[in-house]
Amino acid sequence: MRRRGFLMAAGAGLLAGACGIEGRGTPDDARYWEGKRRNGRLSWANWPGYMQEDRATLKAFEQDTGIRVEYKEVIEENGPWFGRIQAPLAAGQPIGFDLMVMTNGVHLEKARRLGYLAPLDHGRLPNFAANSGLKNPTYDPGNKYTVPFVSGITGIAYNKRHVKGPVTSIEQLFDPRYKGRVGMMADPQELGNLGLLALGVDPEKSTPDDWRRAAARLRAQRDGGIVRKYYTQDYIDAVSKGEVWLTMAWSGDAFTMAGPDVAFVVPEEGGTLWTDNLCIPRTARNPVDALALMDWLYEPRNNALLTEYINYISPVPATKALVAADAAGAAGRERKDLQRLARSPLVFPEPHELERLSYFRRLDQDEEPVFQRTFEPIARGA
């Protein structure tokens, strides 16, 4: 199962860990790195599907740096992962990992707000400074606590055999002509963002009143029988087979898993850009080693190897030329696959294409349950 499939399983788990232990106040970021040094080892918690089966990238890092990596695919949903790490981090205890990957959204914001993340020492991240194409996001100004690992776009996938003419607008997901043939995502954030974009509202700048209006539009779509199903991961199989004709979709899934009859578009109203971020838990035993891995991944040659496996948006634009060079030196099916990857705007979008995308809304602790109560019941039929 690909990484984004696990995220969708969260559903009502969006608020997992939202209550209970909060933390011990904002720590002193300025003194965090005093006395810390490289130890030659680190432990990394990640999602499934984000590393080659033979761990080629990790082996290369270990050979280049001498740092040994213990790598575990233990994150399957943001909510349960936050619930797992909240108590020890609130108590100032290690969580067993020095590096973790979290998606921008409710739980990353909570971890930042509660002081659970280590401030990054950008003096030790020269490759990030030189090569990053996704800096200074609104959810982490100045990349104080995170750097992007991979990103993806939420847009629309459609089956060209059943939908005549191009899909250009979110409004086509609400069109009665496609009654019973539209797929929507069950995740409250993704579903809510789509509803907001349909109203012409930037999700990042939205208000509770906007949320209510968007939820009403989404309920009307559901109650009108337009939605066939609210999907977790299996929407790509459904649209490829023609069970649904149009569906909300993630760019990486559409690139990797869709059949030849399926196209992916960012509608004229825009789409959302999500990012899975590398971050260091504040209680990490080996934070300097974790920083070394972060920075190593921003060297274009190192990142290209992983991009060729993951097929989501690389945070290092220079990898595009390296993938193209690898394609030129390959043969047969591998050559065709790498050429397609290097040319894909789903993996290497142009800056003007990124400008059409919005990030998720940063929700404070009062807004979070309101947003959840507004959108979560829709996919459940409530």
Side-chain angles (χ1 to χ4, degrees):
M1 184 179 290
R2 294 182 63 80
R3 171 261 181 269
R4 292 302 294 179
F6 285 93
L7 177 63
M8 286 297 291
L14 230 169
L15 291 181
C19 302
I21 299 169
E22 282 294 293
R24 300 181 299 176
T26 302
D28 183 359
D29 283 348
R31 299 175 62 90
Y32 178 81
W33 293 100
E34 289 183 2
K36 291 183 170 60
R37 63 188 66 185
R38 183 180 291 197
N39 297 319
R41 62 185 181 274
L42 69 96
S43 182
W44 182 4
N46 206 346
W47 301 75
Y50 269 179
M51 187 62 61
Q52 306 97 328
E53 293 182 9
D54 64 359
R55 305 292 191 257
T57 290
L58 295 180
K59 291 175 182 176
F61 170 75
E62 290 176 335
Q63 183 174 354
D64 285 353
T65 65
I67 299 173
R68 180 175 56 84
V69 181
E70 181 183 17
Y71 183 82
K72 295 185 178 180
E73 296 178 338
V74 293
I75 306 176
E76 296 186 356
E77 301 173 17
N78 281 299
W81 173 249
F82 183 84
R84 171 176 171 174
I85 65 177
Q86 183 179 20
L89 288 174
Q93 299 298 317
I95 66 169
F97 294 98
D98 306 297
L99 187 64
M100 58 186 180
V101 177
M102 294 186 71
T103 313
N104 63 292
V106 170
H107 298 98
L108 181 63
E109 173 63 16
K110 188 184 291 290
R112 183 202 63 78
R113 188 174 69 241
L114 295 177
Y116 294 166
L117 303 180
L120 301 182
D121 180 354
H122 281 270
R124 305 189 207 213
L125 295 172
N127 283 327
F128 171 77
N131 298 315
S132 175
L134 295 170
K135 292 181 180 177
N136 195 32
T138 55
Y139 60 84
D140 183 21
N143 294 100
K144 185 174 182 179
Y145 299 102
T146 68
V147 297
F149 180 53
V150 297
S151 297
I153 300 167
T154 304
I156 300 174
Y158 66 99
N159 191 307
K160 293 179 287 186
R161 288 185 290 112
H162 297 285
V163 179
K164 305 306 178 184
V167 171
T168 60
S169 173
I170 289 175
E171 287 302 314
Q172 288 167 269
L173 293 173
F174 294 81
D175 193 329
R177 289 184 299 168
Y178 303 123
K179 184 175 181 178
R181 295 295 184 178
V182 170
M184 300 291 283
M185 290 182 174
D187 176 71
Q189 279 193 301
E190 292 283 21
L191 186 63
N193 285 338
L194 187 283
L196 289 164
L197 289 170
L199 297 177
V201 175
D202 183 343
E204 287 190 276
K205 300 175 182 177
S206 61
T207 66
D209 182 60
D210 294 326
W211 305 344
R212 288 187 287 271
R213 292 192 296 120
R217 184 89 195 277
L218 292 165
R219 280 197 179 87
Q221 177 202 36
R222 179 199 65 191
D223 295 344
I226 295 172
V227 180
R228 181 182 181 90
K229 185 177 178 180
Y230 292 90
Y231 286 94
T232 53
Q233 185 187 15
D234 49 343
Y235 62 86
I236 285 293
D237 187 53
V239 73
S240 295
K241 292 180 179 178
E243 295 172 4
V244 295
W245 297 350
L246 307 89
T247 183
M248 293 177 66
W250 289 310
S251 55
D253 284 351
F255 178 85
T256 305
M257 303 171 67
D261 294 320
V262 176
F264 178 89
V265 297
V266 176
E268 58 192 17
E269 296 90 346
T272 51
L273 178 70
W274 52 264
T275 297
D276 283 342
N277 299 274
L278 293 163
C279 49
I280 300 173
R282 196 173 195 90
T283 54
R285 298 183 188 275
N286 306 295
V288 177
D289 303 85
L291 270 182
L293 177 53
M294 280 182 171
D295 195 55
W296 186 88
L297 288 170
Y298 272 84
E299 200 287 319
R301 179 71 266 175
N302 300 332
N303 195 277
L305 182 66
L306 202 54
T307 298
E308 290 175 1
Y309 175 76
I310 297 176
N311 298 167
Y312 275 104
I313 297 173
S314 169
V316 184
T319 60
K320 180 177 182 177
L322 295 173
V323 173
D326 288 346
R333 176 63 182 271
E334 182 184 6
R335 180 186 181 94
K336 291 181 180 179
D337 288 345
L338 290 175
Q339 287 176 332
R340 177 173 173 252
L341 183 71
R343 296 167 181 164
S344 175
L346 303 184
V347 181
F348 297 106
E350 296 294 332
H352 72 274
E353 294 171 318
L354 291 175
E355 291 175 0
R356 298 176 56 215
L357 305 174
S358 300
Y359 277 115
F360 296 167
R361 171 82 147 73
R362 283 180 64 179
L363 301 170
D364 63 31
Q365 61 185 13
D366 295 324
E367 293 171 331
E368 178 188 334
V370 177
F371 189 96
Q372 173 72 358
R373 288 195 301 268
T374 302
F375 292 109
E376 190 272 336
I378 295 171
R380 293 191 290 105

